Amino acid sequence: MSSLKLADIAAAMAAAQSQSSNVTLFVSIMKRLWNTVVEDANLPDNIVSFLVQVLPTPATVDEIQSLWQELRIHIPTWQGPLLQNEVDNCLRQFGHGHSLVGAEMLYPPYRTCIQPECSQMNIKLKKPYSAQCRVYTLRRGILPAYETSLACHRCNTRYHYAYFVVRASEADSQREFYAEYQPYVHAQESSFVEDRLCEYFGSLMCLSHTSSSDLARSYNLDLGRMDTTNRQTLLSELAQSTVMEAFFLHAILRRSRRYNQTLRVPHRGDWEHRLDNALDFYNQLMAGTGQPQYCHACHDCLKFFRHPDTQRLLYMRGGTTDGVTNGHPRCLVDKCQMRLESMKDHFCPAHLHLQSVCLIRGCDLQAEKGRLTCSQKTHRDKEEEYSKQSESAFSDLTRRLNKDNVPRTSRRKPSSLSTQKASNHSTFIAASGTESGTSKLKLQLTRNWTHNEQLFVLSCGVIISRSTFFYSEGVASVKEFLKRVFPWPWVLPTHIFYDNACHLLQHLNATDDSYFKSVRLAVDVFHARHHHKEDGDTFCNTNNNPALFPELRITEGKWSLNSSIAEQTNVWFGAFQAMTREMSVPRYNFFLDEMILIRNEWFVGEQERKGKQPFMLDFEALKAEWNHEHP
């Protein structure tokens, strides 16, 4: 073959490759801009001039229009490769010069009204309104974008990218989110977060306890460090509040789709409380038996064995309950479980009148104006003692130097007057703490917190339920918690481990409660060995010692079920205290349930990888078996 023919073939191949690159980039761009040109038979001049500038192979206006006519019908359903990053860069760099001011153009998913009174008339949406926004993505950085909303003139409904609002001017108007999947979450008014980035944030919060502020900093330093200079006035950096709002809204949308329900939130009001009703609703669904992995079973929590006498094949399913000292602020009034209006409050709305009462615990007299305590001398002395102890850091540290006669330079040596004041102050504290008897009095200056979070963990490590204990982890509260977790006798596990199982069983016997008669209550192995007396605790040794149950032992020193799994899980769960400390009650409960849900999903995936064969129990079959054995 001659060298001329080889050159011709090479040139033809290069031309074909160049034409293919032109077509791929053209389709990618038009797929991105489809909403802006969907009704145009010919491409607008600004888009044509943009394409002339960015296509790798020079093309004329007529060639671009001809290409549009040929490919127009295929672009909406195009399933081939798309050059996302290339389109982002082209729109960032050259879009503004051609009136294409966003790398993403966010439009509603509908072009006609979907309200029942309008859908039959096929009324087209009009009155477009565009606003600048930012789109935060996982792999494409921060994208400048425009969101365009459309309206129906007949029913006064405005359609946004993520939701629609009927009669938005009314005070009680609501945002109704679309049932269809949308790739971006409308986190705040001008901020959209990619759903994959929301999942990434949730995973980091769950598995490594990364705070929202650290997530925002990390994103701005790494994933978000891309050129976003598109002459927009909006901030480029991701804010901590945006991370949290995106996380909560993404999780709520995920739950609404799981339950096949429509998400509605108030259109007006501050972002902090706009989601409260939806959060409360899904918190109620999750309580007790609502975790998706509630029916979980695997080789680590479900075991089979034969009865030593009858050789009948039996099964056992074990789990552990324990409390973790996480909590949220609560009302100072004993036994009150009404929510605080603000997490900074000391009293709920029903007890706000107690804010003017003396802060000494147990005193119900009114505090004097400008004071924390009433007129009683001992109470007033306690307040004065607190005031003295709250002196400035410099004065306190100076007093310590004077107390120990620490030598100093003349420039730093205090005057005799300040030395005398410090000495008098030390004398006053000693006197007020001993002679006046105020040391026994307690000033209630801080908020009260709920006592603990109670978990029920299967022996494999999957958490199937959580509940807040307000005042103590008493055995009566644990009993009621277990009844909420297992509301029917046929769903009860065969073995429940609890570090105070002996007192729980005594309580059940004293109250003649036979609900758990089919369950073997045992103290977990660690607490049985180290925290329960070997001598003198006959009831525990004869009723709740795990060695009483031979099916729990495989060999000497090895157990078939992990009875200490709750203690191990508490290490993970307890680390959320700092992250949830100032959350409102709806967010607090939703966040913890979502962390458990994400962890369970990850945990079950690890079990599948390790060959533990996780599956869901058929409780209907267990119900039939129970009814057969207990007619």
Side-chain angles (χ1 to χ4, degrees):
M1 185 178 294
S2 65
S3 58
L4 180 60
K5 290 183 179 180
L6 288 174
D8 292 341
I9 292 174
M13 292 176 62
Q17 185 176 3
S18 178
Q19 183 65 20
S20 175
S21 300
N22 258 20
V23 172
T24 304
L25 184 58
F26 176 86
V27 171
S28 300
I29 292 174
M30 297 317 302
K31 183 80 172 178
R32 182 78 61 87
L33 302 178
W34 176 255
N35 287 312
T36 64
V37 298
V38 63
E39 297 181 354
D40 297 336
N42 293 311
L43 287 177
D45 292 340
N46 65 317
I47 295 180
V48 173
S49 61
F50 172 73
L51 291 169
V52 168
Q53 184 173 9
V54 301
L55 289 178
T57 301
T60 64
V61 172
D62 293 339
E63 290 174 340
I64 290 176
Q65 291 288 9
S66 176
L67 191 60
W68 167 249
Q69 297 300 328
E70 293 179 10
L71 300 177
R72 179 183 175 186
I73 61 173
H74 303 291
I75 290 177
T77 58
W78 176 262
Q79 298 296 324
L82 293 174
L83 306 176
Q84 292 281 21
N85 292 332
E86 288 80 353
V87 176
D88 291 340
N89 294 332
C90 289
L91 287 170
R92 282 192 184 108
Q93 188 173 358
F94 305 109
H96 189 81
H98 302 274
S99 301
L100 300 173
V101 290
E104 282 283 6
M105 314 292 181
L106 305 181
Y107 280 77
Y110 304 105
R111 286 296 178 270
T112 58
C113 186
I114 61 173
Q115 301 303 317
E117 63 270 22
C118 300
S119 58
Q120 295 180 354
M121 302 176 65
N122 201 31
I123 296 178
K124 291 187 176 181
L125 303 179
K126 298 180 180 179
K127 300 180 181 179
Y129 175 79
S130 298
Q132 293 181 3
C133 60
R134 293 287 186 188
V135 175
Y136 301 92
T137 68
L138 179 61
R139 302 186 184 281
R140 298 160 58 200
I142 305 174
L143 303 177
Y146 261 73
E147 188 216 5
T148 300
S149 61
L150 302 172
C152 173
H153 67 278
R154 187 174 184 274
C155 62
N156 195 19
T157 302
R158 179 157 287 276
Y159 291 81
H160 296 262
Y161 169 79
Y163 58 86
F164 64 84
V165 185
V166 181
R167 294 181 291 276
S169 60
E170 296 183 1
D172 59 348
S173 58
Q174 288 190 319
R175 297 179 176 183
E176 183 171 325
F177 287 79
Y178 306 122
E180 295 83 1
Y181 166 79
Q182 296 285 79
Y184 303 120
V185 175
H186 193 178
Q188 291 180 331
E189 292 298 342
S190 59
S191 300
F192 292 79
V193 181
E194 187 180 22
D195 65 331
R196 289 184 295 177
L197 183 59
C198 294
E199 293 173 358
Y200 177 71
F201 286 157
S203 297
L204 287 179
M205 289 179 183
C206 173
L207 301 179
S208 63
H209 304 96
T210 309
S211 67
S212 56
S213 56
D214 286 341
L215 286 173
R217 295 189 191 102
S218 176
Y219 182 85
N220 293 327
L221 289 173
D222 187 12
L223 298 177
R225 292 189 62 181
M226 299 186 71
D227 181 20
T228 57
T229 57
N230 203 357
R231 302 184 186 180
Q232 289 197 0
T233 58
L234 299 176
L235 293 176
S236 298
E237 293 188 343
L238 178 65
Q240 177 267 344
S241 59
T242 305
V243 173
M244 291 308 300
E245 296 304 327
F247 166 80
F248 279 110
L249 186 54
H250 175 264
I252 292 175
L253 288 170
R254 189 167 74 144
R255 291 200 198 179
S256 67
R257 296 188 185 105
R258 180 184 300 121
Y259 293 111
N260 196 25
Q261 295 174 336
T262 301
L263 176 62
R264 297 181 180 89
V265 302
H267 180 58
R268 300 181 178 278
D270 60 338
W271 281 94
E272 182 179 358
H273 297 290
R274 189 175 292 179
L275 302 177
D276 282 358
N277 290 336
L279 292 171
D280 281 332
F281 175 76
Y282 288 111
N283 288 340
Q284 288 295 324
L285 291 181
M286 188 67 78
T289 63
Q291 276 289 343
Q293 293 295 329
Y294 177 77
C295 304
H296 171 86
C298 66
H299 291 330
D300 287 337
C301 62
L302 183 67
K303 304 285 187 176
F304 293 90
F305 65 98
R306 292 194 179 275
H307 192 279
D309 298 328
T310 64
Q311 295 301 306
R312 180 187 175 188
L313 186 63
L314 302 175
Y315 78 91
M316 59 179 175
R317 184 177 186 237
T320 307
T321 185
D322 197 13
V324 194
T325 55
N326 290 22
H328 59 75
R330 63 171 177 86
C331 181
L332 289 181
V333 176
D334 287 341
K335 307 304 180 184
C336 177
Q337 296 187 16
M338 185 177 292
R339 289 182 184 173
L340 304 178
E341 187 172 337
S342 168
M343 290 297 100
K344 303 296 184 183
D345 292 343
H346 288 208
F347 295 96
C348 67
H351 297 112
L352 280 178
H353 61 281
L354 299 177
Q355 287 182 327
S356 59
V357 172
C358 175
L359 292 186
I360 295 294
R361 291 182 184 178
C363 179
D364 56 0
L365 299 177
Q366 291 291 314
E368 292 192 344
K369 186 176 181 180
R371 294 280 186 173
L372 301 177
T373 57
C374 60
S375 58
Q376 293 187 48
K377 184 178 185 306
T378 55
H379 294 186
R380 181 66 56 78
D381 290 344
K382 188 66 177 178
E383 181 181 352
E384 293 292 340
E385 176 185 340
Y386 166 75
S387 299
K388 294 296 184 179
Q389 290 174 345
S390 301
E391 61 183 325
S392 67
F394 181 80
S395 299
D396 182 49
L397 295 176
T398 301
R399 175 182 56 79
R400 296 185 189 186
L401 292 176
N402 295 332
K403 180 180 178 181
D404 294 332
N405 296 318
V406 178
R408 286 155 289 178
T409 61
S410 57
R411 183 174 62 87
R412 297 180 180 178
K413 188 175 182 179
S415 64
S416 59
L417 179 61
S418 62
T419 304
Q420 181 64 32
K421 287 182 177 180
S423 177
N424 291 341
H425 176 231
S426 300
T427 303
F428 174 83
I429 289 180
S432 62
T434 55
E435 295 178 8
S436 66
T438 61
S439 59
K440 296 181 180 180
L441 300 175
K442 300 294 182 182
L443 268 176
Q444 181 65 56
L445 298 172
T446 60
R447 297 171 288 177
N448 272 2
W449 296 77
T450 56
H451 186 270
N452 70 280
E453 295 297 316
Q454 195 77 11
L455 303 179
F456 192 91
V457 190
L458 295 177
S459 296
C460 61
V462 170
I463 305 171
I464 63 172
S465 193
R466 177 200 64 87
S467 182
T468 300
F469 283 13
F470 271 70
Y471 301 105
S472 68
E473 193 185 347
V475 291
S477 300
V478 173
K479 178 188 71 173
E480 295 304 320
F481 167 69
L482 292 176
K483 287 184 176 181
R484 290 193 300 270
V485 178
F486 306 106
W488 311 283
W490 54 85
V491 302
L492 280 166
T494 60
H495 297 71
I496 293 180
F497 301 98
Y498 176 42
D499 56 14
N500 202 17
C502 47
H503 288 96
L504 175 60
L505 184 57
Q506 287 176 329
H507 171 76
L508 294 173
N509 293 339
T511 56
D512 197 23
D513 192 335
S514 60
Y515 189 80
F516 299 95
K517 62 181 180 181
S518 63
V519 179
R520 294 187 166 182
L521 296 171
V523 178
D524 62 277
V525 174
F526 175 81
H527 283 87
R529 293 192 64 188
H530 300 285
H531 296 280
H532 287 250
K533 296 178 181 179
E534 182 176 352
D535 299 322
D537 197 348
T538 305
F539 183 89
C540 182
N541 287 330
T542 57
N543 292 276
N544 305 103
N545 190 326
L548 287 170
F549 313 119
E551 67 273 12
L552 291 178
R553 290 182 292 173
I554 301 175
T555 60
E556 188 66 28
K558 291 188 178 181
W559 302 85
S560 58
L561 296 176
N562 184 355
S563 64
S564 299
I565 190 64
E567 297 290 342
Q568 300 163 7
T569 305
N570 288 351
V571 176
W572 167 80
F573 191 81
F576 291 115
Q577 172 67 1
M579 299 173 64
T580 59
R581 187 174 179 84
E582 300 298 335
M583 286 185 182
S584 64
V585 174
R587 294 192 173 217
Y588 173 90
N589 289 319
F590 188 92
F591 180 85
L592 292 180
D593 285 339
E594 189 67 16
M595 291 297 101
I596 292 174
L597 188 152
I598 294 173
R599 180 185 181 274
N600 283 347
E601 290 178 346
W602 166 80
F603 197 86
V604 171
E606 288 294 296
Q607 286 186 321
E608 291 177 347
R609 186 178 63 84
K610 295 177 180 178
K612 300 297 183 179
Q613 297 183 327
F615 66 98
M616 294 294 182
L617 288 174
D618 183 2
F619 283 140
E620 288 301 319
L622 293 178
K623 177 181 179 181
E625 181 181 350
W626 174 272
N627 291 333
H628 176 73
E629 296 181 355
H630 303 80

